[in-house]
Amino acid sequence: MTTKLLLTFAICRLIVTVGLTVDPSELLRLGVEGQLSVDPCDVETASLDFGLISRSEPMAVLHPGSADDIARLVQAAYLSSQGFTVSARGHGHSINGQAQTSNGVVIEMSGRSRGSRLGPGNLAKPQVAVKEMHVDVWGGELWIDVLRSTLEHGLAPKSWTDYLYLSVGGTLSNGGISGQAFNHGPQISNVYELDVVTGKGELMTCSEEQNSKLFHAVLGGLGQFGIITRARIALEPAPQRVRWIRVLYSNFSTFTRDQEHLISLHGEPSTLKFDYVEGFVIVDEGLINNWRSSFFSPRNPVKISSVGANGGVLYCLEITKNYDESTGDTIDQEVEALMKSLNFIPSTVFTTDLPYIDFLDRVHKAELKLRAKDLWEVPHPWLNLFVPKSRIADLDRGVFKGILGNNKTSGPILIYPMNKNKPARIDKSFSLLLTGTQFNDGSDRRSGRFSCQAIFSMGSPMRRWWDQRSSVVTPDEEVFYLVALLRSALDNGEETQSLEYLTDQNREILSFCDDAGINVKQYLPHYTTREEWMDHFGDKWDQFYQRKMEFDPRRILATGQRIFNPSSASAGTVSPCLGPVIVDRTVIPIPLSGAYYDELTAGSSHIQPSSLAHPPDPAMATPFLTSFQWFYSLASSIEISEASFHRSGLSESRFC
């Protein structure tokens, strides 16, 4: 019975055509405030991304004039009888075509217009609420513009990425990390509220208190559940200047021990901790003085051989201390006290002071230099990994000192730890609750209430920095590392810097981790099979899948991630069937829509028995079927595992 049912599914899927085609002229009749374009230049731009590894040409490009434009487009896709997909593109900084689509429309979120539910005037700048310490921004706003707007009020967001020319919606859909994450958590932990267009075309406001399931799904959700059109970001007083320090290590254990010590100080007063902790690996002498490391003086270049590198590898600790002009007289003492606890090579201390905005925008300055040399718009086969603390030394031996060896490297290799489950400060709404003076019994206990107020300051919501309710996946350890190989493929005749070589080396690194049992998780993940995605999400897969079916049931959004395949059947329509099919002398109608197959095989590791106790009456078989209840009842006495499906030789990728 099981084999026959599997063959029935296979025959069904083999004759399904999931190719979604829509005449672009149909899209032009949507009637949007912005511009829906089929201009070849717009289409070409949307076909590429920063990675320059894949290319996928959309049917049209939307430059939205408002959040309603986006909702109108997505709703049209959701209700379309033929169907088309929708992908939101920020600054185009994805690596493997995650924001691309070939059967739909790309929304240029960071293009010419700034849509809005931000207030009067659809092109409003970020709106800063000084008293409330937050800023409302368009989802396509670049972080550099958010910074400039908030600095006008002496404020700034708490958590950053190293590169600021990324969209707010883009980083919140992935996590948003940098050297401040140990102190404030990732960017997704510093959001109060979102406006989101779901895969049904519904424009919804969500937060910890309102539509919380959607709120947590979207944060780190890889664009699968909705398009962020507005975000309310937490702010703090902005420092004026930064003391930027780099020191070198030749011993990996000493290097990581010092990094882990520094991030453990996150709960200390600001005078007793650094504000930013990162680091990078130096596997060749060219890298130590490259674009990322231009901090070191070119008049006094650092040589690996001069500092006794162990195995030809050095490690650089990068730390900063924020300060104001008014506290400038104490910064030297504070830094000196913190440095005394570290065990770096004494002769390798490099220090500079600069304005706060210049430090945050440091990578853009390097970008301008690379653009001048035609070295920016090249393929970027980047690989970003979250590595458990317990296995970081194994990765050092196998990758930094093994696979990478002393090969010349065309880009930085970042490495720094983050805390996973440290609770943030109490939310201001909770703080207000504590400041009331009257209990339900009518008694007045002012002293106790003010005692609580003194302990719990107004701040970010009381949830973990890496909240398990979000869609982000991290290793199952309290502390984990980011290891980011940010390499560029260069056409300079050197094999070790070619795209093919670097791509193969990335695969070798992933294979090494798999063989060594190092349970890494990709950050900015890229997989090509359902099995790989299920392995990536692990225990979160069922929740991720259920959220997808709730908020984007036709799998319209962000198909470039290659997690789900779009459904061709429109919402609320009857699914066409492959006539009546006979299975063990029972006539059963088989729906052709790929949605039902995915519902059966992708939602869990096997088909769960239905709550219906009896199989369908053959007399009820019709050429059309609107749900898979009958199949569930038919499967009440069997389990069809994905393993047996794949062993049958019927590759899922051929059918979905």
Side-chain angles (χ1 to χ4, degrees):
M1 176 64 181
T2 300
T3 302
K4 290 185 178 181
L5 194 54
L6 283 171
L7 290 174
T8 302
F9 287 145
I11 294 169
C12 166
R13 298 304 300 162
L14 277 170
I15 69 171
V16 171
T17 300
V18 191
L20 308 179
T21 57
V22 177
D23 187 338
S25 64
E26 295 181 23
L27 298 175
L28 295 174
R29 294 194 291 269
L30 279 176
V32 294
E33 298 173 46
Q35 180 185 10
L36 190 57
S37 170
V38 291
D39 182 274
C41 292
D42 284 341
V43 171
E44 178 63 17
T45 298
S47 300
L48 303 171
D49 61 15
F50 179 70
L52 288 180
I53 296 172
S54 64
R55 184 182 186 280
S56 187
E57 187 173 298
M59 296 183 300
V61 176
L62 174 66
H63 300 277
S66 67
D68 290 332
D69 278 359
I70 297 172
R72 191 174 294 116
L73 174 68
V74 175
Q75 186 178 59
Y78 177 65
L79 297 176
S80 170
S81 59
Q82 292 178 299
F84 59 92
T85 59
V86 178
S87 289
R89 183 181 190 270
H91 198 51
H93 213 262
S94 57
I95 301 301
N96 293 287
Q98 286 92 337
Q100 297 172 359
T101 181
S102 59
N103 273 323
V105 179
V106 168
I107 303 174
E108 285 284 3
M109 298 293 293
S110 300
R112 314 169 197 173
S113 58
R114 194 189 284 115
S116 177
R117 285 176 73 186
L118 303 182
N122 283 348
L123 302 183
K125 292 173 59 179
Q127 295 190 0
V128 180
V130 176
K131 185 177 180 181
E132 292 80 7
M133 298 285 280
H134 68 240
V135 58
D136 284 326
V137 300
W138 169 244
E141 199 78 51
L142 300 185
W143 282 101
I144 182 63
D145 295 321
V146 176
L147 175 62
R148 288 168 178 160
S149 296
T150 57
L151 284 178
E152 293 176 2
H153 303 272
L155 303 172
K158 301 176 181 180
S159 190
W160 295 98
T161 54
D162 287 336
Y163 183 58
L164 301 188
Y165 287 74
L166 304 174
S167 70
V168 170
T171 64
L172 295 183
S173 295
N174 287 280
I177 56 174
S178 187
Q180 300 91 356
F182 83 95
N183 211 18
H184 296 293
Q187 289 181 322
I188 59 173
S189 291
N190 292 277
V191 181
Y192 290 138
E193 188 175 273
L194 299 171
D195 281 348
V196 174
V197 175
T198 71
K200 299 177 182 179
E202 301 168 327
L203 181 54
M204 302 176 66
T205 298
C206 56
S207 65
E208 188 77 41
E209 296 79 24
Q210 180 182 4
N211 297 314
S212 61
K213 186 188 295 186
L214 178 62
F215 181 70
H216 293 296
V218 168
L219 293 174
L222 306 176
Q224 294 301 301
F225 312 106
I227 297 171
I228 298 172
T229 60
R230 179 186 64 92
R232 177 166 291 176
I233 308 296
L235 301 177
E236 67 177 356
Q240 294 174 324
R241 297 190 63 79
V242 171
R243 173 70 56 84
W244 188 6
I245 305 163
R246 283 177 173 171
V247 294
L248 298 180
Y249 294 76
S250 60
N251 183 278
F252 185 73
S253 295
T254 305
F255 168 69
T256 54
R257 185 166 56 248
D258 279 0
Q259 281 192 320
E260 291 164 14
H261 163 68
L262 291 177
I263 70 167
S264 73
L265 303 176
H266 69 95
E268 298 294 331
S270 60
T271 56
L272 301 179
K273 63 182 177 182
F274 285 111
D275 297 289
Y276 163 100
V277 176
E278 282 199 15
F280 54 90
V281 182
I282 303 162
V283 296
D284 70 85
E285 292 187 358
L287 183 62
I288 197 170
N289 300 295
N290 82 341
W291 66 270
R292 175 96 186 185
S293 309
S294 56
F295 177 94
F296 298 115
S297 171
R299 293 187 299 273
N300 184 29
V302 178
K303 297 291 185 181
I304 289 181
S305 56
S306 67
V307 290
N310 181 13
V313 178
L314 284 175
Y315 311 93
C316 179
L317 172 64
E318 184 175 59
I319 45 184
T320 70
K321 196 84 173 67
N322 300 336
Y323 67 99
D324 298 323
E325 299 291 351
S326 60
T327 59
D329 56 342
T330 63
I331 185 68
D332 290 338
Q333 295 94 315
E334 291 174 11
V335 168
E336 183 180 358
L338 286 166
M339 297 288 283
K340 284 182 178 178
S341 64
L342 306 180
N343 295 287
F344 52 86
I345 301 171
S347 61
T348 63
V349 181
F350 303 85
T351 303
T352 190
D353 285 66
L354 70 170
Y356 183 60
I357 188 172
D358 288 352
F359 171 73
L360 292 180
D361 200 28
R362 63 198 180 280
V363 176
H364 180 58
K365 292 177 173 58
E367 173 192 348
L368 297 178
K369 294 178 182 178
L370 289 176
R371 285 188 182 277
K373 299 177 181 180
D374 293 327
L375 294 176
W376 184 258
E377 294 183 0
V378 298
H380 296 93
W382 288 6
L383 179 63
N384 295 270
L385 303 175
F386 286 155
V387 183
K389 169 189 168 182
S390 64
R391 302 304 303 276
I392 194 66
D394 296 324
L395 189 127
D396 171 59
R397 287 188 291 270
V399 177
F400 302 151
K401 295 187 179 80
I403 294 173
L404 298 182
N406 292 314
N407 291 331
K408 191 171 183 180
T409 303
S410 57
I413 305 170
L414 306 187
I415 175 171
Y416 59 90
M418 288 171 280
N419 304 317
K420 182 177 182 182
N421 290 324
K422 300 297 183 183
R425 291 176 295 175
I426 302 302
D427 184 26
K428 49 193 166 189
S429 61
F430 190 44
S431 176
L432 290 173
L433 176 65
L434 291 173
T435 59
T437 59
Q438 196 171 59
F439 281 70
N440 291 334
D441 61 6
S443 60
D444 188 351
R445 306 176 193 174
R446 292 177 182 269
S447 60
R449 290 305 178 99
F450 283 121
S451 172
C452 290
Q453 178 65 24
I455 294 172
F456 299 119
S457 62
M458 292 170 64
S460 55
M462 185 178 147
R463 61 177 190 269
R464 297 184 184 278
W465 284 339
W466 293 89
D467 197 316
Q468 287 301 302
R469 293 171 295 176
S470 78
S471 296
V472 172
V473 178
T474 58
D476 294 327
E477 292 190 11
E478 172 69 18
V479 173
F480 61 93
Y481 279 77
L482 171 73
V483 174
L485 292 89
L486 309 182
R487 302 181 293 178
S488 302
L490 305 177
D491 188 14
N492 58 6
E494 292 194 34
E495 180 189 2
T496 58
Q497 296 187 16
S498 68
L499 177 59
E500 181 180 5
Y501 183 90
L502 294 176
T503 302
D504 288 343
Q505 196 170 69
N506 285 345
R507 294 193 190 99
E508 186 180 359
I509 291 169
L510 292 172
S511 295
F512 163 78
C513 292
D514 188 49
D515 294 342
I518 304 175
N519 186 27
V520 300
K521 296 294 183 181
Q522 287 190 36
Y523 177 64
L524 312 178
H526 171 62
Y527 301 103
T528 57
T529 69
R530 175 64 61 80
E531 181 180 7
E532 289 173 321
W533 279 112
M534 293 177 70
D535 182 63
H536 170 76
F537 284 106
D539 293 341
K540 277 192 171 183
W541 172 254
D542 285 345
Q543 173 183 265
F544 193 86
Y545 176 83
Q546 290 162 9
R547 287 172 169 178
K548 184 68 171 179
M549 293 303 102
E550 179 175 354
F551 298 117
D552 183 23
R554 293 197 63 197
R555 287 149 293 173
I556 291 166
L557 301 176
T559 54
Q561 294 280 4
R562 299 176 178 85
I563 306 175
F564 300 97
N565 292 286
S567 165
S568 58
S570 62
T573 63
V574 176
S575 302
C577 301
L578 176 62
V581 175
I582 299 176
V583 179
D584 276 3
R585 292 178 293 183
T586 300
V587 182
I588 303 173
I590 308 294
L592 294 184
S593 169
Y596 298 110
Y597 172 81
D598 285 346
E599 183 178 342
L600 284 175
T601 62
S604 60
S605 59
H606 60 270
I607 298 179
Q608 297 286 355
S610 168
S611 58
L612 299 177
H614 303 287
D617 185 345
M620 295 175 61
T622 66
F624 299 98
L625 189 65
T626 58
S627 81
F628 236 82
Q629 287 180 319
W630 288 357
F631 265 113
Y632 280 4
S633 69
L634 187 66
S636 59
S637 61
I638 61 172
E639 289 187 351
I640 303 176
S641 68
E642 289 196 347
S644 64
F645 180 82
H646 289 295
R647 282 198 301 270
S648 68
L650 305 173
S651 171
E652 181 181 352
S653 62
R654 294 168 57 194
F655 307 137
C656 297

